[in-house]
Amino acid sequence: DAKTTQPTSMDCAEGRAANLPCNHSTISGNEYVYWYRQIHSQGPQYIIHGLKNNETNEMASLIITEDRKSSTLILPHATLRDTAVYYCIVRGLQSGSARQLTFGSGTQLTVLP
Amino acid sequence: DTAVSQTPKYLVTQMGNDKSIKCEQNLGHDTMYWYKQDSKKFLKIMFSYNNKELIINETVPNRFSPKSPDKAHLNLHINSLELGDSAVYFCASSQDSGGHNEQFFGPGTRLTVL
């Protein structure tokens, strides 16, 4: 079962920042926060991950609260191609099934022209 | 130069048939996966496999079996297909099953059981 809670849907104006929240209040100390997205009719795509520090890459930024109970994925300048379902996933590095990605229902982000 | 490829893209078949979906990755990865995405869009892990271990999600019926002829391939065999097997099946791969290695997904195979 997914350990995260996300809003069902969000809209964002093209060119503006998209801020996607995720709650993971039961996250344990050795679990990481991962973000993937799924554009319609395609396979999921990795975006970013983090443990407790904020992270940034060419796709997005990840802000994790100090208590690690929530995080926000930021797409700094959303484009129409960013319209997708965004999944926030908590994942440990232990052996076996705990390492697997467990997808929840995600947030449908729609970028509006 | 597709990283993870699946065939066929669409598969329509009758109940009771046996079918296979093929997956190939050219990334040199050690671990491959199969996921099922149902009509409600929930994406669930079915198997993860490398040369050391096969991890099976306990909810997967034993009619489903992964078969890996080599490290670059993980095929999904389904016996005695049922209506509820209709879904999109995604293959994925990662450098290994541990660490932070991102998973790369294939384009999916839409299976329709009539």
Side-chain angles (χ1 to χ4, degrees):
Chain A
D1 293 326
K3 302 179 181 179
T4 62
T5 305
Q6 299 176 252
T8 302
S9 63
M10 293 181 65
D11 291 341
C12 175
E14 188 177 18
R16 304 298 293 269
N19 298 292
L20 293 95
C22 179
N23 287 325
H24 31 79
S25 57
T26 60
I27 192 170
S28 61
N30 60 355
E31 290 181 318
Y32 288 72
V33 180
Y34 285 74
W35 284 83
Y36 278 72
R37 73 179 183 183
Q38 186 175 21
I39 296 170
H40 182 62
S41 297
Q42 297 183 19
Q45 176 190 24
Y46 167 83
I47 301 173
I48 199 168
H49 75 272
L51 180 63
K52 56 182 179 181
N53 296 322
N54 297 338
E55 302 288 344
T56 296
N57 64 20
E58 65 278 4
M59 289 184 70
S61 295
L62 175 60
I63 309 297
I64 302 175
T65 59
E66 192 169 342
D67 62 9
R68 304 211 319 125
K69 292 185 177 182
S70 65
S71 60
T72 301
L73 178 75
I74 301 172
L75 307 179
H77 305 287
T79 70
L80 299 179
R81 294 181 181 179
D82 292 322
T83 292
V85 178
Y86 286 77
Y87 297 98
C88 171
I89 301 166
V90 167
R91 174 180 180 252
L93 298 183
Q94 310 92 318
S95 61
S97 59
R99 282 203 298 255
Q100 296 181 345
L101 294 176
T102 301
F103 289 81
S105 53
T107 296
Q108 171 66 59
L109 174 69
T110 302
V111 180
L112 304 171
Chain B
D1 57 348
T2 304
V4 182
S5 59
Q6 297 179 226
T7 54
K9 187 170 178 62
Y10 300 96
L11 180 57
V12 180
T13 188
Q14 299 285 335
M15 281 177 54
N17 285 348
D18 303 336
K19 290 293 179 183
S20 295
I21 305 172
K22 295 184 177 180
C23 177
E24 177 180 3
Q25 54 93 4
N26 62 6
L27 298 167
H29 286 168
D30 294 322
T31 303
M32 298 183 73
Y33 311 81
W34 277 104
Y35 289 82
K36 177 182 179 181
Q37 188 165 41
D38 61 25
S39 57
K40 296 183 179 179
K41 303 297 185 183
F42 288 110
L43 191 62
K44 294 185 177 180
I45 181 76
M46 300 178 69
F47 307 99
S48 65
Y49 178 77
N50 63 23
N51 61 358
K52 297 178 182 177
E53 64 180 346
L54 169 65
I55 300 173
I56 304 171
N57 185 312
E58 64 273 10
T59 66
V60 175
N62 57 15
R63 298 181 294 102
F64 291 77
S65 58
K67 287 186 169 50
S68 180
D70 55 57
K71 199 172 80 167
H73 297 83
L74 184 67
N75 303 324
L76 181 64
H77 292 263
I78 316 170
N79 295 323
S80 303
L81 278 155
E82 300 178 358
L83 293 176
D85 297 334
S86 295
V88 181
Y89 292 84
F90 289 98
C91 176
S93 72
S94 66
Q95 182 60 48
D96 59 45
S97 56
H100 296 295
N101 301 292
E102 64 182 277
Q103 293 186 20
F104 291 81
F105 285 77
T109 295
R110 181 174 294 278
L111 172 66
T112 303
V113 182
L114 304 175

